[in-house]
Amino acid sequence: MSFVEIEQLIAKFRTAAKDKGDFATPAKRDHRFYDEMRTAALAIGKFDSPGKEAFKALLKDESVHVRSWAAATLLVEGDVEARIVLEQIAKSEGIIGLNAEMALREFDRGNLKPPFWKEGK
């Protein structure tokens, strides 16, 4: 496994998150993009620290959808920067802001499950 592989997986994750957006239609397409993000994130996670650091860089991505998914994933691990990112996104109007607000609320209640790092759905 190499840095190049990590970068390719990060690119796949970014593309799928941007294509998914708030919700890609039809639902089948939305599920496909989620599965692509999940597959890439699980593979990135297998790189341990270098993979997690590369994934953490997504918190600064230009796409709010990429930042949101990365932050929700890292928040479960207690990443302080992920919380800050979600708090900023929660101020946004629309579904993206509502999703960030809900993720923070569920995390604070102890109910937020990792969207990607675990093998089970």
Side-chain angles (χ1 to χ4, degrees):
M1 293 189 201
S2 69
F3 181 74
V4 172
E5 288 176 286
I6 294 172
E7 288 300 312
Q8 290 170 342
L9 291 166
I10 291 289
K12 286 180 182 182
F13 181 90
R14 287 184 75 246
T15 298
K18 290 191 297 186
D19 288 346
K20 184 180 183 322
D22 289 329
F23 184 80
T25 55
K28 183 181 202 178
R29 187 170 175 249
D30 188 74
H31 295 169
R32 181 174 50 100
F33 291 137
Y34 175 85
D35 287 343
E36 289 173 9
M37 286 190 301
R38 183 175 177 278
T39 299
L42 286 171
I44 291 164
K46 290 180 181 175
F47 284 91
D48 296 318
S49 186
K52 298 252 176 127
E53 286 302 311
F55 196 80
K56 187 174 170 114
L58 293 173
L59 295 175
K60 293 177 173 57
D61 197 86
E62 64 188 30
S63 167
V64 68
H65 293 100
V66 172
R67 290 193 312 272
S68 178
W69 280 106
T73 302
L74 295 168
L75 180 67
V76 177
E77 297 182 0
D79 187 290
V80 175
E81 189 177 351
R83 182 173 192 93
I84 293 168
V85 168
L86 281 175
E87 288 171 348
Q88 291 169 344
I89 295 170
K91 296 175 186 174
S92 304
E93 292 186 23
I95 292 173
I96 193 78
L98 179 62
N99 286 342
E101 186 180 321
M102 288 173 47
L104 288 165
R105 187 177 319 130
E106 290 303 305
F107 176 76
D108 290 342
R109 290 179 181 164
N111 297 329
L112 188 65
K113 300 201 179 354
F116 301 120
W117 293 144
K118 304 295 181 208
E119 289 292 339
K121 279 192 175 180

